[in-house]
Amino acid sequence: MEWIADHLQYFIDHPEVTWSGAGLTGLGVLYFLVTKLFAPRLRKEYAPSVSNTFTNSGSGDQSNALGDHPIGQQTNYNGDSASNRGSGGVAQNGGVAAGQSGVAVGRDVGGDVIINNYPRTPQGIPLQRPKQAEHLVGRKELLNDVLAALQPGKVVTLCGPGGIGKTALASRVAWELSPDGKPPACFPDGLLFYSFYGRKDVSLAFDHLVRSYSDDAQDSNPEAVCHLLANKQALIILDGAEEADDLPAVLRCCGGCGVLITSRKRSDAPGRLFEVKPLDELPAEEAFRLYSRGTACCAPTTADEATVRAVCKRLGGWPLALRIAGHYLRNTGESATDYLRFLAKVPFQRLGSGEHQDENAALLLRRSMDQVSEDARLALAMAGCLAFAPLGREPLMALLNTDELRACDALNELVLYGLLERQGQRWQVSHALIQTFARSEQPLSREDLERLAGYYIAFCRTQSAAGLPGYALLDEERVHCLRLIESCLDRELWQEVQGLVRAIDIYLERQGHWSEWQTALEMNLTAARKAGDRRDLAWCLNKLGYTCDNRGDKDQALIWYEQSLPIWRELKHKQEEGRTLNNIALIYRQQGRYEQALQTYQQSLTIAQEVGDRQGEGVTLNNIGEFYRKQGEYDQALQYYKQCLPIRRETGTRKGESITLNNIAMIHRVQGEYSKALEYSKESLAIRRELGYRAGEARSCRNIGLTYEDMGDLAQAEEYITLAVEIAEPIVHPKLDEWRDGLEQVRAKRQGA
């Protein structure tokens, strides 16, 4: 045995040595000698001194059994070696995740060779502690809750999407229960670990369970396993249970043992369920810094702090992504700033560079997608085209051309795998990176995207036409509509972009969502230019001018209008030419260019009357009246308003009617006719509330408040001006600060009175 031991030690110390003539490396010879010739003898000689503590002197990142991934053939050459063949699992730094035919070869701290398929204490009690994660932060509270819930006879499940840290947490549970290599008091019959990744056949799990107690066990059928475990109090950790072909069969055999399951499927949780969520902001930053230790981004400068926060925000606290990102920076030396820039452009190129599943976020998610139905895959692809926000079942019903039940089944299937979360009657993608994966790696086909856009176009048209009740429904879908416009733009679906923007246009304008309205119009502008649609281009330019005007950016508004005007003239579209001239005149007046404004208004009015555009005529008459009101020529202003009002009522232009009524009220107010002013203002307010015209409602409330202030009724003045400010705040009205100052003045007057 001394000769054998000397040669074994030589091959351990010189793994690069080749056995001449056979083409075998030193490690290959060692493996042959150990497993085929001397394993029984060595087990007998060394069993009393076996320590379940392996060391790994290297600093590489090749160790497996780190997370939600198959444990396949892999060898770690960083100092001590751990070899795994067949379907067995191996872990270094403290334990073995041993499966069928799995072999762990390493050295303990004393230098003795250890060969053990199923690690046990000297008393023969299984103690299978999987390798601990490199870093585990932000999980203390969850860890304590899991430890408290684990009891003999109880089943506890850790559930969440791939890469969220379920296996890492389960590993820490094992080490918390047995930090000294002894069976925990609550589980005196040991700790057993089995991973279903790559081994879905539960007969392999049965074999593992019986061999954990006896190397010579022959019978591993379910009855034998039930008999073996009937009177035992062990903790059995079943990792990757979503891949098991019959998990309930295994659970039926566990008797009085405690069971800790990790799974992506909520349906795998017969007992206490713990959802493993992404890390919060501060733990995420800590984890990222630990994984990238030694790189420039760990320096405590303000700029690097900001970059780290931005990277972690982009990764959304997903532990796997944080580990991949940190390792990437540590191993490549790339700056965090460059990494952040490329991460924003091609996330899954930066998060999918590892060869093994535990270092490849995209592969983890693809594996989940391989296990769900075609309907569920389509549902996640649809979610990728929409916003990272709760979504309803109706779009999927339209996409599948099916009923509510089938759509709900598909969405709930994704919930089972942790890819979606249920939120009341809606569903939410469970992590921003899953949303990104769906968008970039699992996109809808062009035909399906057209069908989805068609549903939203019809939905938005219907709800927009319904007024306020419809606006309430559009509030839930607004972010999805905007994201869908972007998705259609990316796929060059120009008509769908135009249809979506036109369908949501009135709602966005009336409800004061001006920033989103401008974003939608700018995307439509791009589509119009790409498609060469001159009419649509002119329409977008004119609408963008109106949007900028509402937001107080008069100069930019004029730029858009002046780009729109020559296109309408080129198209010989006199009606739109006249309306655009009216808009340009309005900006001139606001800029104090009164002569130009009046001349341009007259041009607009002439065109409207020539072509019979009664709506356009009403708009221009109102604006000429506004021109004279601003000049202090109230009688002349009132004449134009009174010409305008019947036209607006004739054409059913309710919004325009409310504007003219409000303008008439202001004339009566400055003339001291307060009763008439209140009458017209309140009529205007009622129409604006009916329409859901938020900016107009705010203006009417303020004007009523100012009228009451002039009348000396400060209580009513404060009430209406407060309403105006409350309505103006969420839409960021350009007059908001001015109105707030006026409100404070009214309040000061009341206190002084």
Side-chain angles (χ1 to χ4, degrees):
M1 286 297 295
E2 290 181 3
W3 179 87
I4 294 169
D6 288 342
H7 280 73
L8 287 175
Q9 189 65 55
Y10 178 83
F11 285 127
I12 291 171
D13 294 335
H14 300 84
E16 74 284 355
V17 172
T18 300
W19 194 355
S20 178
L24 295 176
T25 64
L27 282 177
V29 175
L30 171 62
Y31 181 84
F32 175 79
L33 292 173
V34 167
T35 58
K36 301 299 183 184
L37 301 180
F38 308 115
R41 177 69 177 272
L42 287 173
R43 270 200 298 270
K44 182 176 180 181
E45 286 189 24
Y46 289 98
S49 62
V50 167
S51 162
N52 283 289
T53 303
F54 295 119
T55 62
N56 183 347
S57 61
S59 61
D61 303 314
Q62 301 158 349
S63 303
N64 62 354
L66 262 176
D68 301 336
H69 60 282
I71 304 173
Q73 184 173 353
Q74 182 175 340
T75 304
N76 187 331
Y77 295 103
N78 294 314
D80 304 318
S81 67
S83 172
N84 171 25
R85 63 185 180 86
S87 58
V90 181
Q92 290 85 31
N93 291 342
V96 178
Q100 178 71 8
S101 303
V103 179
V105 182
R107 279 194 287 171
D108 70 3
V109 292
D112 294 325
V113 178
I114 296 173
I115 304 161
N116 202 333
N117 287 349
Y118 301 94
R120 305 186 189 102
T121 67
Q123 293 75 32
I125 298 174
L127 198 61
Q128 300 164 10
R129 295 174 296 179
K131 179 186 181 298
Q132 295 196 68
E134 186 179 354
H135 304 293
L136 189 70
V137 296
R139 301 297 195 199
K140 184 176 181 180
E141 183 177 347
L142 178 57
L143 175 64
N144 291 337
D145 289 343
V146 172
L147 287 168
L150 283 171
Q151 301 292 334
K154 301 294 184 181
V155 179
V156 173
T157 302
L158 301 175
C159 193
I164 204 69
K166 304 183 296 295
T167 302
L169 188 59
S171 169
R172 181 59 61 89
V173 166
W175 282 85
E176 288 286 328
L177 290 171
S178 178
D180 54 1
K182 297 178 182 178
C186 53
F187 297 108
D189 294 309
L191 301 175
L192 293 81
F193 178 91
Y194 183 81
S195 175
F196 287 103
Y197 287 122
R199 299 174 295 173
K200 67 179 182 178
D201 186 348
V202 297
S203 65
L204 299 177
F206 291 140
D207 186 77
H208 176 84
L209 293 173
V210 297
R211 290 182 183 276
S212 293
Y213 285 97
S214 172
D215 289 332
D216 300 324
Q218 300 297 318
D219 191 356
S220 61
N221 61 52
E223 291 76 14
V225 176
C226 288
H227 179 74
L228 172 70
L229 299 178
N231 298 313
K232 285 188 167 32
Q233 290 187 354
L235 175 63
I236 301 172
I237 301 175
L238 301 174
D239 189 37
E242 74 275 1
E243 296 213 353
D245 59 8
D246 191 0
L247 179 65
V250 178
L251 296 177
R252 286 193 294 270
C253 295
C254 291
C257 295
V259 181
L260 177 60
I261 296 170
T262 76
S263 179
R264 302 175 196 179
K265 292 172 60 178
R266 294 173 64 92
S267 58
D268 286 339
R272 181 78 180 275
L273 172 67
F274 290 94
E275 293 277 5
V276 185
K277 299 287 188 179
L279 295 175
D280 292 335
E281 181 179 342
L282 292 179
E285 291 179 21
E286 180 185 354
F288 178 72
R289 289 186 180 282
L290 287 169
Y291 286 121
S292 59
R293 181 176 291 163
T295 63
C297 70
C298 290
T301 65
T302 302
D304 288 328
E305 290 283 350
T307 303
V308 167
R309 281 195 296 273
V311 170
C312 293
K313 183 177 181 180
R314 171 72 62 172
L315 299 180
W318 194 12
L320 172 65
L322 293 166
R323 185 172 79 239
I324 293 172
H327 284 179
Y328 180 86
L329 294 185
R330 188 178 68 193
N331 294 335
T332 65
E334 183 174 297
S335 74
T337 302
D338 286 345
Y339 184 84
L340 178 62
R341 187 173 72 254
F342 286 109
L343 186 65
K345 293 181 179 179
V346 283
F348 281 93
Q349 286 186 26
R350 282 294 187 264
L351 296 175
S353 58
E355 177 183 352
H356 300 285
Q357 294 274 27
D358 68 316
E359 289 297 323
N360 195 316
L363 287 177
L364 280 173
L365 292 172
R366 287 193 195 105
R367 194 171 67 196
S368 289
M369 297 309 297
D370 288 343
Q371 297 185 41
V372 302
S373 67
E374 184 61 34
D375 283 358
R377 284 194 287 271
L378 191 65
L380 191 64
M382 180 193 76
C385 292
L386 301 176
F388 184 58
L391 54 91
R393 70 198 69 161
E394 293 81 8
L396 185 59
M397 291 167 60
L399 198 56
L400 292 170
N401 191 25
T402 189
D403 58 14
E404 180 180 352
L405 181 61
R406 180 178 164 192
C408 287
D409 285 346
L411 292 164
N412 288 331
E413 189 177 350
L414 294 173
V415 173
L416 290 177
Y417 279 85
L419 299 170
L420 295 185
E421 294 175 345
R422 188 72 183 260
Q423 295 189 357
Q425 296 300 309
R426 295 173 76 82
W427 289 260
Q428 166 78 59
V429 177
S430 57
H431 194 282
L433 283 173
I434 296 174
Q435 179 87 6
T436 302
F437 171 81
R439 184 177 303 163
S440 61
E441 306 292 316
Q442 301 277 321
L444 283 179
S445 69
R446 188 179 177 88
E447 293 74 18
D448 285 335
L449 185 56
E450 289 174 345
R451 190 177 300 113
L452 182 63
Y455 162 79
Y456 270 102
I457 290 170
F459 173 82
C460 291
R461 284 174 178 165
T462 300
Q463 303 311 326
S464 185
L468 283 175
Y471 294 170
L473 297 176
L474 284 169
D475 286 341
E476 292 186 324
E477 300 295 336
R478 183 173 72 252
V479 291
H480 292 310
C481 291
L482 291 166
R483 180 63 190 89
L484 184 57
I485 293 168
E486 185 180 346
S487 296
C488 291
L489 187 65
D490 290 341
R491 300 288 285 278
E492 300 185 355
L493 297 175
W494 314 131
Q495 289 185 351
E496 282 70 20
V497 170
Q498 180 196 62
L500 285 162
V501 174
R502 298 286 181 110
I504 204 172
D505 174 67
I506 292 175
Y507 155 74
L508 292 175
E509 187 266 326
R510 287 189 178 172
Q511 290 288 284
H513 301 300
W514 293 328
S515 294
E516 291 162 303
W517 189 25
Q518 184 168 341
T519 298
L521 288 169
E522 287 171 349
M523 288 191 284
N524 194 355
L525 186 67
T526 299
R529 284 172 171 159
K530 294 284 188 181
D533 188 336
R534 301 288 284 168
R535 183 187 177 91
D536 195 34
L537 176 60
W539 180 86
C540 287
L541 291 166
N542 198 49
K543 284 283 188 175
L544 281 166
Y546 184 71
T547 308
C548 289
D549 186 11
N550 275 279
R551 300 182 69 184
D553 190 349
K554 310 300 180 183
D555 293 341
Q556 183 60 52
L558 185 59
I559 291 171
W560 291 125
Y561 288 143
E562 289 178 338
Q563 289 183 36
S564 172
L565 184 61
I567 301 176
W568 290 125
R569 285 173 172 166
E570 167 197 325
L571 296 172
K572 296 181 170 43
H573 202 305
K574 297 293 288 184
Q575 177 175 302
E576 292 299 338
E577 178 188 347
R579 293 184 177 190
T580 304
L581 284 167
N582 172 81
N583 295 341
I584 291 172
L586 180 63
I587 300 297
Y588 286 160
R589 196 265 300 165
Q590 291 168 339
Q591 292 177 337
R593 299 157 68 177
Y594 301 119
E595 186 176 344
Q596 282 181 278
L598 192 54
Q599 289 176 355
T600 309
Y601 275 137
Q602 291 297 341
Q603 291 178 48
S604 172
L605 182 60
T606 299
I607 291 174
Q609 291 171 341
E610 284 178 356
V611 300
D613 179 12
R614 294 288 279 169
Q615 281 191 10
E617 183 180 355
V619 169
T620 306
L621 287 168
N622 176 84
N623 289 350
I624 294 174
E626 185 69 0
F627 172 86
Y628 284 114
R629 186 183 72 82
K630 291 288 187 179
Q631 299 296 311
E633 299 182 38
Y634 301 124
D635 291 339
Q636 195 162 0
L638 200 55
Q639 289 178 13
Y640 277 98
Y641 290 146
K642 289 186 175 179
Q643 289 181 59
C644 167
L645 188 58
I647 295 175
R648 290 193 144 169
R649 286 173 172 166
E650 168 200 326
T651 57
T653 313
R654 297 285 283 164
K655 179 185 171 186
E657 181 184 353
S658 75
I659 290 171
T660 303
L661 287 167
N662 186 70
N663 292 340
I664 293 172
M666 287 192 289
I667 295 286
H668 288 302
R669 175 181 157 240
V670 297
Q671 292 179 337
E673 298 171 337
Y674 300 128
S675 297
K676 286 187 177 181
L678 287 175
E679 179 185 344
Y680 281 102
S681 289
K682 290 183 178 181
E683 189 177 354
S684 171
L685 177 61
I687 295 172
R688 287 170 165 180
R689 283 177 170 168
E690 172 195 327
L691 296 175
Y693 178 26
R694 301 292 284 165
E697 182 182 353
R699 283 193 291 270
S700 288
C701 285
R702 180 173 180 270
N703 288 339
I704 293 171
L706 292 175
T707 303
Y708 278 120
E709 183 180 5
D710 290 345
M711 295 169 65
D713 190 343
L714 297 179
Q716 289 275 52
E718 182 179 353
E719 178 183 342
Y720 276 96
I721 297 175
T722 299
L723 276 173
V725 170
E726 289 175 351
I727 297 167
E729 283 176 338
I731 65 176
V732 195
H733 195 286
K735 298 282 188 179
L736 180 58
D737 290 338
E738 177 187 332
W739 294 0
R740 282 173 173 159
D741 290 342
L743 178 60
E744 290 305 315
Q745 291 172 17
V746 170
R747 287 173 174 168
K749 284 182 184 179
R750 285 195 71 190
Q751 291 173 357

